[in-house]
């Protein structure tokens, strides 16, 4: 039922954006000039074609497949029995220092989100940590805030994540160290605020609600007492985590570390009697630092095969467990595609050129003042973050227009910081936020319940964001 309600909320968001295309004149942007064009309404019946159109956009279908692979991954974990033993063992030890574990989890997810190129990919670890937190006796909202909420806060204070900070700074002609002290401050303050917020509210949750929360962990099946050891499963999970970090931190473009690219070129170029052996075996597998959702999906599938071999899982058992896990996250995958279709509708059914209602928002608010105004940019930037749900298109359909419209390049650092913080801020509450929707769908938490829970923190973090932005603007 909660998943159905979530579908309704995302569909409502899609219809609202569609209605805006009937009211707001579309604009086009050629890289230099913003040109207003006539109202270009998106036909009502084309909503369905736009949902299917999301399957043709770049890496959008990869994200949906990735979600399904996560489901299959946990499906295999569950039938090993060793995973259940590991969860119970970790939960037992973590419960002795429960608050420290919650804070550590929050810091970990936020830190990873601030460094990796695709924070959404962190969803692969969310069910694992959620399961432990619930096993410790906490409720679903606490688990959701410590994982998904932490990812959003990490995006607000992104330090070296290329898909957000990297693209923003590249568009503005800045380097990755732009406003780094402000970003570090935002990260530290945001993580501290969220940690205190989560811990403070966790103590107020009733015992009944905590017990009910365990029933909603659809990605975990507690096994009966088993003597299966946890060493092999621990090594498999640890290896997956290390590969994830190596794959999604942009070593070359961000830190200038070329060793992984060089090794990848050398390895794939290895030949046996002039036959490109490794290249034909592994194909064009991406180098560490340039992974996509397909790469992590392949790793997850390989990990399931490794576990099947180690724990002697028969083929039919493997297939049943894998697809049972896929089935559990199928609604989540569908919700993600539905949210991505909002972006397509808002841009007049195209994602290849900047045409649609988003440019009109920026044009209107920028025209309200002759000089650069931070306040004039907040509303359209936040609206753009809600509508253009993917970071790449958020930058393309908003920041490029602002960059061309604001002549004073000295304010670029504060503009970049504004776009970064508003995107992360929207991820905490927007009904189109991909990582939030994935978390809500998986844990079967209603959107309204989450908003009630996180509302006070939204006010706190927004006040911090505004204070930092004003200080940066004053300094420059």
């Amino acid at each position: 039922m909660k998943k159905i309600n979530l579908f309704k909320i995302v569909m409502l968001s899609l219809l609202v954006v569609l209605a805006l295309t009937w009211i707001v004149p579309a604009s086009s942007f050629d890289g230099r000039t913003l040109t207003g064009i006539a109202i270009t309404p998106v036909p009502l019946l084309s909503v369905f074609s736009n949902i299917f159109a999301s399957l043709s956009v770049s890496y959008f279908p990869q994200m949906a497949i990735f979600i399904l692979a996560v489901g299959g991954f946990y499906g295999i974990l569950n039938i090993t029995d060793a995973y259940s033993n590991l969860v119970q063992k970790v939960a037992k030890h973590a419960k002795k220092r429960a608050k420290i574990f919650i804070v550590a989890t929050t810091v970990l997810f936020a830190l990873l989100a601030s460094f990796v190129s695709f924070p959404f990919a962190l969803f692969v670890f969310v069910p694992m940590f959620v399961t432990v937190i619930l096993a410790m006796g906490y409720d679903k909202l606490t688990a959701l805030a410590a994982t998904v909420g932490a990812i959003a806060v990490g995006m607000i204070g992104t330090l070296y994540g290329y898909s957000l900070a990297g693209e923003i700074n590249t568009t503005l002609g800045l380097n990755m160290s732009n406003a780094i002290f402000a970003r570090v401050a935002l990260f530290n303050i945001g993580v501290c605020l969220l940690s205190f917020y989560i811990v403070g509210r966790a103590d107020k949750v009733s015992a009944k609600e905590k017990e009910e929360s365990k029933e909603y962990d659809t990605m975990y099946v507690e096994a009966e007492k088993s003597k299966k050891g946890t060493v092999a499963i621990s090594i498999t999970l640890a290896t997956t985590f290390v590969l994830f970090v190596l794959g999604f931190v942009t070593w070359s473009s961000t830190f200038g570390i070329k060793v992984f690219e060089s090794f990848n070129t050398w390895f794939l170029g290895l030949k046996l009697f002039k036959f490109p052996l490794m290249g034909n075996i592994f194909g064009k597998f991406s180098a560490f630092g340039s992974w996509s959702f397909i790469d992590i999906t392949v790793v997850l599938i390989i990990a399931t095969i490794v576990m099947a071999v180690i724990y002697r899982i028969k083929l039919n058992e493997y297939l049943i467990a894998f697809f049972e896990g896929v089935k559990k996250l199928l609604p989540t995958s569908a919700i993600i595609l539905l949210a991505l279709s909002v972006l397509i509708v808002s841009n007049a059914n195209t994602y290849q050129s900047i045409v649609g209602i988003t440019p009109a928002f920026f044009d209107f608010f920028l025209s309200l003042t002759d000089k650069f105004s931070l306040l004039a940019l907040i509303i359209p930037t936040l609206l753009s973050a809600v509508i253009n749900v993917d970071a790449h298109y958020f930058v393309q359909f908003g920041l490029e227009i602002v960059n061309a419209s604001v002549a004073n390049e000295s304010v670029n650092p504060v503009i970049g910081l504004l776009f970064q913080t508003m995107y992360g801020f929207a991820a905490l509450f927007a009904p189109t936020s991909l990582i939030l929707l994935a978390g809500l769908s998986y844990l079967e938490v209603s959107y309204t319940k989450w908003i009630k829970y996180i509302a006070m923190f939204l006010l706190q973090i927004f006040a911090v964001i505004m204070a930092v932005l004003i200080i940066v603007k004053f300094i420059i």
Side-chain angles (χ1 to χ4, degrees):
M1 183 60 70
K2 300 286 178 62
K3 286 186 174 68
I4 294 176
N5 290 334
L6 203 56
F7 267 111
K8 290 179 180 178
I9 289 172
V10 181
M11 181 58 78
L12 179 61
S13 302
L14 181 62
L15 292 176
V16 168
V17 172
L18 184 144
L20 287 174
T21 66
W22 288 67
I23 302 170
V24 180
S27 300
S28 64
F29 181 68
D30 60 7
R32 293 183 179 181
T33 307
L34 186 67
T35 305
I37 55 180
I39 291 176
T40 310
V42 175
L44 179 61
L45 293 181
S46 72
V47 167
F48 302 101
S49 63
N50 276 286
I51 295 173
F52 288 107
S54 64
L55 293 170
S56 65
V57 182
S58 182
Y59 48 84
F60 288 4
Q62 295 181 19
M63 298 170 76
I65 294 171
F66 159 73
I67 290 291
L68 299 179
V70 171
F73 178 69
Y74 282 95
I76 298 301
L77 280 175
N78 279 320
I79 65 169
T80 63
D81 288 348
Y83 178 60
S84 179
N85 291 344
L86 179 64
V87 167
Q88 296 305 317
K89 185 181 293 185
V90 172
K92 180 181 178 180
H93 286 87
K95 199 169 184 178
K96 298 175 183 177
R97 295 177 176 82
K99 292 182 179 179
I100 294 177
F101 183 83
I102 292 295
V103 172
T105 299
T106 304
V107 172
L108 177 64
F109 274 95
L111 190 63
L112 288 171
S114 74
F115 273 87
V116 299
S117 53
F118 294 103
F120 180 75
L122 284 167
F123 181 73
V124 66
F125 302 114
V126 169
M128 187 188 310
F129 280 83
V130 164
T131 295
V132 172
I133 292 171
L134 294 181
M136 290 166 59
Y138 286 104
D139 66 306
K140 291 185 293 181
L141 289 172
T142 298
L144 190 64
T147 52
V148 169
I151 292 172
V153 169
M155 288 192 283
I156 290 174
T158 298
L159 302 176
Y160 291 101
Y162 189 80
S163 68
L164 190 57
E167 290 208 30
I168 287 173
N169 289 320
T170 299
T171 300
L172 294 172
L174 303 169
N175 56 46
M176 285 296 284
S177 62
N178 163 52
I180 188 63
F181 292 109
R183 286 188 277 148
V184 169
L186 277 168
F187 178 85
N188 288 326
I189 296 172
V191 170
C192 288
L193 278 176
L194 182 61
S195 297
F196 281 116
Y197 191 86
I198 295 171
V199 171
R201 273 159 176 69
D203 293 335
K204 300 176 183 178
V205 178
S206 66
K208 181 181 178 182
E209 190 168 357
K210 289 180 180 179
E211 190 62 31
E212 289 176 349
S213 292
K214 294 181 181 180
E215 300 175 5
Y216 286 93
D217 191 2
T218 57
M219 299 309 297
Y220 174 65
V221 178
E222 186 173 348
E224 296 180 2
K225 289 184 178 181
S226 171
K227 294 182 179 180
K228 288 188 177 180
T230 59
V231 175
I233 202 79
S234 298
I235 293 174
T236 303
L237 292 173
T239 302
T240 303
F241 177 80
V242 171
L243 290 175
F244 178 93
V245 174
L246 290 174
F248 282 103
V249 173
T250 50
W251 305 104
S252 178
S253 56
T254 301
F255 301 105
I257 299 174
K258 307 287 185 179
V259 63
F260 296 120
E261 290 183 352
S262 299
F263 175 80
N264 191 66
T265 301
W266 169 80
F267 181 74
L268 294 179
L270 288 176
K271 297 180 180 180
L272 180 64
F273 303 112
K274 296 184 179 181
F275 177 75
L277 182 64
M278 295 305 176
N280 281 287
I281 292 176
F282 293 95
K284 296 182 179 179
F285 198 78
S286 304
F288 287 144
S290 57
W291 275 19
S292 66
F293 288 100
I294 288 297
D295 296 303
I296 188 61
T297 297
V298 170
V299 168
L300 292 178
I301 293 174
I302 292 174
T304 63
I305 295 172
V306 170
M307 287 186 287
V309 172
I310 292 173
Y311 293 101
R312 300 177 181 179
I313 300 171
K314 296 179 181 179
L315 179 60
N316 62 325
E317 294 176 342
Y318 173 90
L319 293 174
I320 291 171
F322 187 89
F323 286 107
E324 185 64 28
V326 167
K327 186 172 68 174
K328 288 178 180 179
L329 286 187
L330 188 59
T332 303
S333 181
I335 287 172
I336 295 303
L337 283 177
L338 188 62
L340 287 167
S341 65
V342 172
L343 185 156
I344 298 174
V345 169
S346 70
N347 290 287
N349 291 322
T350 179
Y351 54 89
Q352 297 174 334
S353 59
I354 306 179
V355 180
I357 61 175
T358 304
F361 293 144
F362 285 100
D363 185 42
F364 173 77
F365 284 96
L366 286 172
S367 67
L368 296 178
T369 176
D370 295 330
K371 297 181 180 180
F372 171 75
S373 172
L374 185 62
L375 293 176
L377 267 180
I378 289 175
I379 295 177
T381 304
L382 190 55
L383 284 172
S384 180
V386 173
I387 295 173
N388 299 303
V389 296
D390 179 76
H392 171 74
Y393 294 101
F394 167 67
V395 173
Q396 182 182 349
F397 294 155
L399 185 58
E400 290 186 11
I401 297 168
V402 175
N403 187 40
S405 302
V406 178
N408 185 5
E409 293 185 359
S410 66
V411 298
N412 280 1
V414 71
I415 292 176
L417 194 60
L418 171 66
F419 268 74
Q420 175 181 307
T421 53
M422 288 299 103
Y423 185 80
F425 180 64
L428 280 167
F429 72 90
T432 53
S433 167
L434 301 181
I435 190 62
L436 178 59
L437 289 172
L440 292 175
S441 175
Y442 150 59
L443 272 174
E444 297 190 15
V445 175
S446 71
Y447 178 73
T448 52
K449 190 172 183 178
W450 167 254
I451 292 300
K452 290 177 182 178
Y453 170 84
I454 204 70
M456 190 57 66
F457 176 74
L458 291 175
L459 295 176
Q460 294 172 1
I461 194 63
F462 186 75
V464 171
I465 290 171
M466 290 307 302
V468 172
L469 287 171
I470 291 171
I471 292 171
V472 172
K473 184 176 182 296
F474 177 77
I475 293 175
I476 64 173

